[in-house]
Amino acid sequence: MDEMFLTLYLENNREVVITSKNGKFNKMTQDCFFENEVKATDTVGKTTIHADNLDLLASSGTAQIFNNVNLINENGSFLKADKIEYDFEGKKLKVSMFDDQNINMKVINN
């Protein structure tokens, strides 16, 4: 399908809005596969993620974001990665690279 749009309503009045140019929706599993110019924005934390692909897997409660991932939060912190996996229930973020290289990361508090 063209022009995918989805709003996730989470606890504590959090909303995550996900858009993309193209994608697929599996009616049986409720899984969504976003492709091309993917943008995900958390309206409460003002975190924005840009990527080429985002797979929202309803069956596992995770989002797999991959290919040219750029994450920016409201205080200006910036993260680039090959792949990010987000667990909505555990609120855990796993950052990885495709070629098993070490991840170089610097956390800056403003």
Side-chain angles (χ1 to χ4, degrees), residues 10 24 59 87 90 104:
L10 305 171
K24 298 173 188 162
S59 54
D87 175 2
N104 294 321

Side-chain angles (χ1 to χ4, degrees), residues 68-83:
N68 300 315
V69 179
N70 294 297
L71 184 147
I72 307 163
N73 73 8
E74 67 181 321
N75 65 7
S77 296
F78 186 84
L79 170 74
K80 288 183 105 170
D82 286 340
K83 182 178 179 183

Side-chain angles (χ1 to χ4, degrees), residues 59-103:
S59 54
S60 67
T62 62
Q64 297 178 359
I65 309 151
F66 52 99
N67 294 328
N68 300 315
V69 179
N70 294 297
L71 184 147
I72 307 163
N73 73 8
E74 67 181 321
N75 65 7
S77 296
F78 186 84
L79 170 74
K80 288 183 105 170
D82 286 340
K83 182 178 179 183
I84 294 176
E85 184 174 318
Y86 184 71
D87 175 2
F88 286 101
E89 289 184 24
K91 297 181 182 177
K92 294 181 183 178
L93 192 68
K94 180 180 177 182
V95 180
S96 61
M97 304 298 281
F98 289 136
D99 56 9
D100 292 330
Q101 290 181 354
N102 287 336
I103 298 170

